[in-house]
C-alpha cells in the first residue's frame, strides 16, 4: 500500500532518436559544461524537427521537446550540435563545443506547457548528473547572444528550474536606489555576471531582464543595478 506522503512525480524521459546530419566533433577535446535552452520559434515540433535535421539548414540541437512532452534526440551528447552560434558566456566562446543544446517547441508568444516543462526537468536532471554540470551552467540562448537572440524568452519559468536545483536562482534585488546611479558604466558588472559577449548597453539590459526580471520595462533602473551587483558578486565567488 502506498503511504499518504507527498507524491513525488518522477517522469521518465526516454528520447526518441531522430538523427540530424548537422554536427561535428567537439573542438579541442572539449566536453559539455554548459546547457543552453532555446525555443524553436516555429509553429510545430514536426516543422522544427524537419529543419533541425535538414543538412541545408545547417542547424541542430541535441534535444527537442514537444508541447505534449515528447522528447526527440537528434545529436549524441558527445558530439557538437549547431545550436548556439556566435556569442560568449563568462568569457568563453565556441559555446557549441562546450554545451548541450535543448530546443523547446514554442513559437515564442505563448506559455510553455506542463508536460514539456516536466520533461525538460527530467532531462536536465539526467544531463547535469551525467556531466557533473552545476545548475549555474544552465543558461538561455539570450544569455550568450544578447541582442541577437531572445530565447527561451520572457515566458520561460527560470524560477521553477531554480527551485529544483536545475538553474541558478535569481538574486533578490528589488530595492531601487537613486535613479542617478543609473548613469554609470556597468560593463564590468555585466562581465562579472557572465555577460561577456559584445553587445550594446540596451542589449545587455534586455538579456539581463529576460533571464532575471522579465516583468520590468523602461530604462535601466536601480533595481537592475542591484540585480547586476548581486549577480556579479556571485559570479566572482564562483571563480575563486
Ligand atoms: Zn536559440
Amino acid at each position: 500500500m502506498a503511504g499518504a506522503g507527498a507524491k513525488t512525480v518522477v517522469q521518465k524521459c526516454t528520447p526518441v532518436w531522430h538523427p540530424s546530419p548537422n554536427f561535428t566533433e567537439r573542438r579541442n577535446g572539449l566536453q559539455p559544461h554548459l546547457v543552453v535552452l532555446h525555443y524553436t520559434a516555429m509553429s510545430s515540433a514536426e516543422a522544427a524537427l524537419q529543419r533541425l535535421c535538414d543538412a541545408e539548414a545547417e542547424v541542430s540541437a541535441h534535444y527537442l521537446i514537444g508541447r505534449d512532452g515528447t522528447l526527440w534526440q537528434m545529436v549524441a551528447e558527445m558530439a557538437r550540435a549547431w545550436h548556439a552560434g556566435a556569442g560568449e558566456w563568462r568569457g568563453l566562446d565556441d559555446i557549441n563545443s562546450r554545451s548541450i543544446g535543448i530546443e523547446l517547441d514554442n513559437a515564442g508568444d505563448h506559455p510553455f506547457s506542463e508536460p514539456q516543462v516536466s520533461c525538460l526537468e527530467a532531462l536536465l536532471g539526467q544531463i547535469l548528473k551525467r556531466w557533473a554540470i552545476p545548475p549555474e551552467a544552465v543558461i538561455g540562448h539570450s544569455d550568450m547572444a544578447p541582442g541577437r537572440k531572445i530565447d527561451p524568452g520572457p515566458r520561460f519559468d527560470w524560477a521553477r528550474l531554480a527551485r529544483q536545483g536545475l538553474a541558478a536562482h535569481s538574486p533578490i534585488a528589488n530595492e531601487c536606489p537613486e535613479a542617478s546611479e543609473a548613469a554609470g558604466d556597468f560593463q564590468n558588472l555585466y562581465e562579472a555576471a557572465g555577460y561577456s559577449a559584445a553587445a550594446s548597453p540596451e542589449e545587455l539590459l534586455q538579456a539581463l531582464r529576460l533571464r532575471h526580471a522579465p516583468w520590468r520595462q523602461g530604462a535601466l533602473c536601480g533595481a537592475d543595478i542591484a540585480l547586476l551587483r548581486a549577480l556579479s558578486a556571485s559570479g566572482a565567488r564562483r571563480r575563486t
Side-chain angles (χ1 to χ4, degrees), residues 99-159:
S99 66
I100 288 173
I102 303 174
E103 289 276 0
L104 301 168
D105 166 34
N106 185 298
D109 57 359
H110 55 90
F112 294 83
S113 71
E114 178 56 38
Q116 184 178 46
V117 177
S118 294
C119 179
L120 172 65
E121 289 169 340
L123 176 64
L124 273 177
Q126 294 168 5
I127 291 172
L128 298 197
K129 193 171 171 198
R130 194 150 49 232
W131 294 99
I133 296 174
E136 296 77 27
V138 178
I139 63 172
H141 204 184
S142 56
D143 289 320
M144 53 137 299
R148 193 172 70 80
K149 296 290 176 184
I150 63 160
D151 58 312
R155 290 176 182 270
F156 187 74
D157 191 351
W158 285 101

Side-chain angles (χ1 to χ4, degrees), residues 90-107:
R90 296 203 180 283
L92 299 171
D93 63 5
D94 189 11
I95 301 297
N96 280 339
S97 282
R98 305 174 189 278
S99 66
I100 288 173
I102 303 174
E103 289 276 0
L104 301 168
D105 166 34
N106 185 298

Side-chain angles (χ1 to χ4, degrees), residues 34-137:
L34 292 167
V35 178
V36 182
L37 304 185
H38 306 259
Y39 63 51
T40 57
M42 296 186 76
S43 59
S44 71
E46 288 67 30
L49 204 55
Q50 193 171 28
R51 178 169 159 75
L52 293 165
C53 296
D54 175 358
E56 289 190 8
E58 297 189 334
V59 291
S60 64
H62 294 88
Y63 296 99
L64 168 68
I65 306 177
R67 288 166 221 205
D68 65 355
T70 303
L71 173 66
W72 290 276
Q73 182 167 8
M74 295 162 282
V75 175
E77 290 183 1
M78 280 297 291
R80 179 181 181 275
W82 304 343
H83 58 96
E88 267 193 24
W89 182 247
R90 296 203 180 283
L92 299 171
D93 63 5
D94 189 11
I95 301 297
N96 280 339
S97 282
R98 305 174 189 278
S99 66
I100 288 173
I102 303 174
E103 289 276 0
L104 301 168
D105 166 34
N106 185 298
D109 57 359
H110 55 90
F112 294 83
S113 71
E114 178 56 38
Q116 184 178 46
V117 177
S118 294
C119 179
L120 172 65
E121 289 169 340
L123 176 64
L124 273 177
Q126 294 168 5
I127 291 172
L128 298 197
K129 193 171 171 198
R130 194 150 49 232
W131 294 99
I133 296 174
E136 296 77 27

Side-chain angles (χ1 to χ4, degrees), residues 204-224:
L204 289 168
L205 178 60
Q206 181 190 37
L208 176 78
R209 286 178 174 173
L210 278 169
R211 174 68 178 78
H212 295 287
W215 57 87
R216 199 142 63 228
Q217 307 281 327
L220 180 83
C221 74
D224 297 313

